[in-house]
Amino acid sequence: MNNWPKFLPLPASWAKGFALSSGFWLIVSVLLPGYYYYSYRFSTAYWRSIRSYDEGAIAFAWLCQIPLFAFYHWGLAKFAEWVESRSQNQPPTVTVSPWLHWREGFIAFATLPAAIVMGIPAIAFLMLPLRDSSGALVALIIGTAIASAYLYHFRFARLLKILVKFLWIFYAQLLKILQLLLVPTLTGMPFFVLTFVTAPMVPKQLLPLTTFLLVISVFLSGIVGYAALQYWSAHLVNWAAKWWPAHSPGYSRVQARTAWKHNKTAATQSLVRHTTSWHLAANDTTYLIYFNLSAIVFGAIGSVLFGEPSTWSETEEEMLGSAVALVWVAQWHFWGWRREVEIARGKPEAKKSSRDRNLPAADPIEVELNQLVAEFGDARMKPVRKPASATKKPKSQQAQWYVFRSGKAEGPYTKRQLRDVQQITDRTKVRRGEAEWQRAGEIPELAQFLTEK
């Protein structure tokens, strides 16, 4: 294909274009015969019944292209596998994912409307010498096929993907903002109802205090709602990662989410103790305050430009609402979402201070030998002797501590490395040298050191 003209679509593009065009227009001609075979003189009642379902028939023919092209791609993939197995006398080395078949169907579905619009000049030119409906059907098929072939040749699907991705980013941020606005409203509904019920019984002098308590209650309930939403969303992602098809869109993204600190800790901690969810809830609450402040600022600007809110026209309200929505989306896209990802991922390793950088690293030979011994099942490891000429390190900086994780011992580490790198807690099993395993909180030396952060 090196000598193939660049301005002409490849044979594969022509084949896809004709398959797409003929499949659509033939289905339309079967469902709506009056379009092309009106000379058959159907009765007036039958003609009207057909005309009343034009839109539904065209939509049905359009949707049919998804399973049709998925079937075409599946058949070609099976034929290619059969040829490969016959030529090499062994099963095919590569199998095609089912998603790739359906992807071809969705690409055809998205390409067809653009092909019909772009094929109008070719269709009109081909219809000039025609006088019957059968020839018109052929002209429609050929004109749409030419446009489809060129759209496939210039990778129209990639352009659509870029456009859809951009629109999806906008709508995803907009949905997040709606979530930030609706969660406090839903969680604070009992407090609103309680306020309306008790308002007639409260003296007017206590009305400011009642309003203050209502705002505080709605604010706190919103934080709880955000934390619960973040916590259960982590469980939802972890559950989806177990059955998500390997070659389908979003698989790598879902699997990457399961490795985040937010998702890993949610499987072993309750909502009350899941600090990451509460941290994310605080982030959501912070940006809710930012959103409301920006809305107040734009409301003040609108009052200066358009007068009092009661005098605003519908156009002025739409302009102001669109500006507020765009500012909200920009705030969350450029700051809120990045901060949320940073919190949810967690830091894989704490940043070492300048004091830690001066500490000597653990002996690599000793670490490797201890890991090998641990893999062979010996839970008690002997430290490797170091040369007598080696300078003796201070006791607080000696790498003599081991951590018991995943059924084996890891180390040795210094006390500072236990706290800052391994991030142990008072319940982590550790030991020094050949001593017995103990929880870090039960060792006075470590318990005091862990609290000195």
Side-chain angles (χ1 to χ4, degrees), residues 40-121:
Y40 283 9
R41 298 179 182 177
F42 291 109
S43 64
T44 305
Y46 180 68
W47 171 247
R48 288 177 180 173
S49 65
I50 292 176
R51 291 288 296 175
S52 63
Y53 295 98
D54 286 357
E55 293 80 4
I58 292 174
F60 176 77
W62 185 23
L63 288 171
C64 283
Q65 303 312 305
I66 298 177
L68 277 177
F69 265 74
F71 176 74
Y72 296 156
H73 193 265
W74 173 82
L76 290 174
K78 290 298 181 183
F79 179 74
E81 291 177 3
W82 177 78
V83 171
E84 182 182 356
S85 61
R86 289 292 299 271
S87 60
Q88 299 182 1
N89 294 325
Q90 60 180 4
T93 57
V94 180
T95 57
V96 181
S97 169
W99 159 246
L100 296 179
H101 307 318
W102 289 105
R103 186 185 69 173
E104 288 296 325
F106 287 113
I107 291 175
F109 178 82
T111 305
L112 182 60
I116 294 175
V117 173
M118 293 183 62
I120 289 176

Side-chain angles (χ1 to χ4, degrees), residues 161-193:
K161 183 178 179 181
I162 296 173
L163 180 62
V164 170
K165 186 176 181 180
F166 172 77
L167 294 176
W168 172 250
I169 290 174
F170 177 80
Y171 282 111
Q173 310 302 349
L174 193 60
L175 289 174
K176 177 63 180 183
I177 292 169
L178 291 176
Q179 170 194 315
L180 294 179
L181 296 174
L182 290 176
V183 166
T185 304
L186 295 176
T187 57
M189 192 61 65
F191 301 102
F192 286 113
V193 175

Side-chain angles (χ1 to χ4, degrees), residues 226-245:
Y226 289 143
L229 191 63
Q230 295 286 358
Y231 179 75
W232 289 110
S233 66
H235 281 281
L236 179 63
V237 172
N238 292 339
W239 170 77
K242 296 179 181 179
W243 58 264
W244 201 279

Side-chain angles (χ1 to χ4, degrees), residues 3 5 134 186 194 286 288 292 300 306 339 345 349 358 408:
N3 297 328
S134 300
L186 295 176
L194 182 63
T286 301
L288 178 64
N292 283 281
F306 309 124
R339 178 59 180 160
R345 280 181 176 171
E349 183 175 338
N358 298 328
K408 61 181 181 179

